[in-house]
Amino acid sequence: MNSDVLRWLQAQLGPETDSDDLAARYERLRSAKAVAVEVIRERLAALLAEPLKVTVNGVATIDNSANVSALERRAAQMLDETAPDETPVTRHDLLTTVPLSARPRR
């Protein structure tokens, strides 16, 4: 994994994300986008494993449902982005040629 991929992953997942863990995942998955989505899904699973909302009457309320929604949105956005180890698809790449032939006349 090169430094551009590492910087992109840390920008997506936060600078505190362990770079050795990211490198090991990248070695296994071979795609920066796959690494980022896997980490986001693990974070989402950890949130869902615990109660999303805890209230101690008159003292405090902790609500993680907004965090779940944010992680789900981020995972969806990630699929539309181009990671540094991917080749961007341009409109020129989408063009194709079609041979034309004359219609028979009546």
Side-chain angles (χ1 to χ4, degrees), residues 30-43:
R30 308 305 278 159
S31 162
K33 191 181 289 187
V35 170
V37 169
E38 182 178 76
V39 171
I40 288 174
R41 287 185 178 156
E42 283 180 5
R43 290 176 182 177

Side-chain angles (χ1 to χ4, degrees), residues 84-102:
D85 61 345
E86 295 178 321
T87 16
V89 177
T90 62
R91 288 188 158 266
H92 182 267
D93 294 337
L94 298 176
L95 295 178
T96 185
T97 58
V98 178
L100 300 176
S101 59

Side-chain angles (χ1 to χ4, degrees), residues 1-88:
M1 173 171 64
N2 64 33
S3 61
D4 289 338
V5 172
L6 178 61
R7 281 194 303 271
W8 184 83
L9 283 169
Q10 288 178 330
Q12 303 302 314
L13 303 169
E16 304 301 318
T17 308
D18 182 25
S19 58
D20 292 334
D21 178 49
L22 294 176
R25 289 175 193 256
Y26 188 80
E27 186 67 31
R28 179 173 49 88
L29 298 171
R30 308 305 278 159
S31 162
K33 191 181 289 187
V35 170
V37 169
E38 182 178 76
V39 171
I40 288 174
R41 287 185 178 156
E42 283 180 5
R43 290 176 182 177
L44 183 59
L47 279 174
L48 293 174
E50 300 295 323
L52 289 179
K53 188 173 185 177
V54 176
T55 302
V56 178
N57 289 334
V59 178
T61 299
I62 299 173
D63 188 358
N64 284 324
S65 57
N67 293 345
V68 170
S69 298
L71 284 174
E72 288 172 339
R73 279 192 312 273
R74 187 66 197 121
Q77 289 171 348
M78 188 84 53
L79 298 176
D80 293 334
E81 293 181 12
T82 302
D85 61 345
E86 295 178 321
T87 16

